[in-house]
Amino acid sequence: MNAKFALLLVILWISSTVGKSQVPSEKKRQFEIQVNKNVELLGFVYFLGYEGAQAETSDYSPRTKARYAYGLDLYRQYKAFENSKNLAVAIGFAQDIWLDYFINLLVQLDDFPNAKLRDDIDPTYYLRFSSKKDTTEAKTNAVAFIEAMNGLWLEVDFDTYLTQNQPKYANAIAQVKSGLPDSSFIPTMEKFYQAHLDAYKLIPSLTIPPGMGFGVKYGAQEKTFAFHVFGAFHIPNFKDSLRVDMGFNDQKHLLELSTHEFGHSFVNPVVDELPGKMCSETESLFEPIKKVMSNQGYTTWKACVYEHFVRAGEIIISQNRGNAADTQRLRTHYEQDRMFIYLPLILEEFSKYNRSASISYRQAVRAAMAGLIEEARKK
């Protein structure tokens, strides 16, 4: 063989090997779709211990009952367990803790009924189990909660429930797979936020109430794992086994909800790094929108700040993906229908950042907060 030709073959082989060695890292940044058993039991507890009884005593509209049909059907099937001691313990802790915080802990545990609070789990993920934010008390209470959930799993035989309803879960996963955002989504989002996550997990849930979605994340072994946990997008059809539709077949909604919930994984830490006075000096801006924000579940100014920055990010990312009509629709919906009235100011700073390589995302957030301070001083 000619020496020069042999050398060329070696170079080509090395080049192809290097290229292939980069593929696994790219695969890690694709969406992973899975059902989380712990999340399913949490949603089950929500309906068995709270929403089911509420639906029987309150004047729920036909549409609300239709949207909650799956969970309410579960309540009727398992109503005999609503006086369970394990359920009472779990619900007792749930009085003061919202679902997203529970989920952020549960996704780190082994599956029920074998879950334990491992020593490697950071206390921040269970500190709210103590009203005094006492780590020792929080750990004791978190352990009690987990043990109650383990006990409830066995008591109601949740394994059998999952086995019997496997076709419904398969339908949900298939619907989510068919509506996945294209391969440019993650790179576009990471480029805008100037940050990287090691895993993006989509967790469709049949027991989490439809319309609810949660973005949570945790770090372990120098990696960061982000989760988008969500209920159905529209009213499910689960009674007819030949026409099962669990309500996750909406590609546009999945894209926008994923942009939003994964956005929290990038936005919240950056907002948390801001000097405390930036939040306190802008708190007066909450008053004009306090009622409408509280009705959407955002009862504090800090939560409202997170939401403004996440939604501003959604708009710019949609724009960067070339979706002009969707971008305008999102902006109109957020500013006019949802009353995120400070978006124009934030978007002005984000647009400057989006056009310039000399400004970091963190600097853009800080500049926007400085603008909000000026706005608050005018009031």
Side-chain angles (χ1 to χ4, degrees):
M1 181 183 293
N2 183 290
K4 289 183 178 180
F5 181 66
L7 179 60
L8 178 61
L9 285 179
V10 171
I11 292 172
L12 289 173
W13 179 83
I14 291 173
S15 299
S16 65
T17 304
V18 171
K20 289 176 182 177
S21 69
Q22 294 172 346
V23 172
S25 64
E26 286 298 311
K27 283 185 176 179
K28 289 178 184 177
R29 299 170 67 245
Q30 300 305 308
F31 289 111
E32 299 174 38
I33 308 166
Q34 55 192 230
V35 170
N36 185 285
K37 294 180 179 180
N38 294 354
V39 168
E40 291 312 287
L41 186 65
L42 180 67
F44 174 83
V45 165
Y46 178 82
F47 276 101
L48 186 61
Y50 171 71
E51 198 70 65
Q54 283 284 106
E56 290 193 344
T57 58
S58 302
D59 188 22
Y60 279 29
S61 69
R63 178 166 177 78
T64 298
K65 286 186 176 181
R67 288 177 64 242
Y68 284 8
Y70 188 83
L72 296 179
D73 187 64
L74 273 185
Y75 171 72
R76 287 187 287 270
Q77 290 181 51
Y78 290 89
K79 191 174 180 179
F81 296 97
E82 68 178 342
N83 294 318
S84 158
K85 291 182 179 179
N86 287 314
L87 179 66
V89 171
I91 288 295
F93 288 115
Q95 300 300 319
D96 303 311
I97 303 174
W98 187 230
L99 287 175
D100 60 342
Y101 193 80
F102 280 121
I103 290 170
N104 218 146
L105 174 63
L106 296 186
V107 295
Q108 300 182 60
L109 305 179
D110 292 334
D111 289 343
F112 296 131
N114 302 306
K116 292 181 180 178
L117 187 64
R118 302 188 311 275
D119 291 337
D120 63 334
I121 295 177
D122 192 283
T124 56
Y125 296 109
Y126 55 83
L127 195 58
R128 290 188 203 171
F129 279 86
S130 167
S131 60
K132 299 175 292 186
K133 300 296 186 288
D134 177 79
T135 304
T136 301
E137 181 184 54
K139 187 171 186 178
T140 298
N141 289 340
V143 167
F145 170 76
I146 293 168
E147 289 178 351
M149 295 290 276
N150 283 331
L152 184 65
W153 180 289
L154 296 172
E155 189 178 354
V156 303
D157 192 9
F158 207 68
D159 272 320
T160 295
Y161 156 75
L162 290 173
T163 299
Q164 290 175 342
N165 292 280
Q166 193 278 331
K168 299 183 182 75
Y169 282 97
N171 176 265
I173 289 176
Q175 288 185 329
V176 173
K177 281 184 177 178
S178 69
L180 283 179
D182 62 52
S183 59
S184 70
F185 173 76
I186 292 176
T188 303
M189 186 167 58
E190 291 188 343
K191 181 180 180 182
F192 174 74
Y193 287 117
Q194 295 182 333
H196 169 80
L197 299 174
D198 295 287
Y200 293 84
K201 299 177 184 284
L202 293 171
I203 313 292
S205 171
L206 303 191
T207 63
I208 293 295
M212 286 191 183
F214 306 96
V216 301
K217 71 169 183 176
Y218 71 90
Q221 299 176 342
E222 299 184 352
K223 291 187 176 182
T224 304
F225 305 91
F227 297 76
H228 172 199
V229 179
F230 51 101
F233 303 147
H234 56 77
I235 295 172
N237 173 30
F238 56 92
K239 293 293 188 180
D240 185 348
S241 60
L242 297 179
R243 296 190 301 111
V244 172
D245 175 2
M246 296 313 297
F248 294 89
N249 190 21
D250 189 331
Q251 185 176 26
K252 185 173 291 187
H253 191 65
L254 177 61
L255 169 66
E256 292 176 358
L257 199 59
S258 294
T259 310
H260 182 94
E261 298 303 343
F262 285 125
H264 277 291
S265 295
F266 297 105
V267 170
N268 291 23
V270 175
V271 172
D272 290 341
E273 290 174 0
L274 294 170
K277 67 177 184 178
M278 295 193 97
C279 200
S280 61
E281 289 181 17
T282 54
E283 192 147 11
S284 62
L285 297 176
F286 192 39
E287 282 306 313
I289 56 173
K290 187 173 184 177
K291 184 177 180 180
V292 69
M293 287 293 127
S294 296
N295 288 340
Q296 297 178 63
Y298 313 127
T299 57
T300 67
W301 173 237
K302 184 70 172 290
C304 193
V305 171
Y306 289 143
E307 291 299 322
H308 268 81
F309 280 107
V310 167
R311 291 167 201 274
E314 287 179 65
I315 291 166
I316 299 293
I317 290 168
S318 176
Q319 174 186 303
N320 290 348
R321 284 170 52 80
N323 302 327
D326 287 342
T327 301
Q328 187 56 51
R329 176 181 53 80
L330 266 181
R331 180 166 184 172
T332 301
H333 175 58
Y334 287 156
E335 291 181 19
Q336 298 179 14
D337 302 333
R338 304 287 295 274
M339 290 298 292
F340 285 91
I341 61 176
Y342 305 115
L343 275 177
L345 189 153
I346 296 171
L347 286 169
E348 183 179 346
E349 295 298 335
F350 275 12
S351 294
K352 294 176 188 175
Y353 154 68
N354 200 47
R355 293 192 300 266
S356 173
S358 63
I359 306 172
S360 71
Y361 175 72
R362 280 174 165 76
Q363 288 172 323
V365 169
R366 187 175 285 257
M369 282 301 291
L372 289 174
I373 290 174
E374 290 301 314
E375 187 71 18
R377 287 173 179 167
K378 294 176 187 177
K379 302 294 184 183

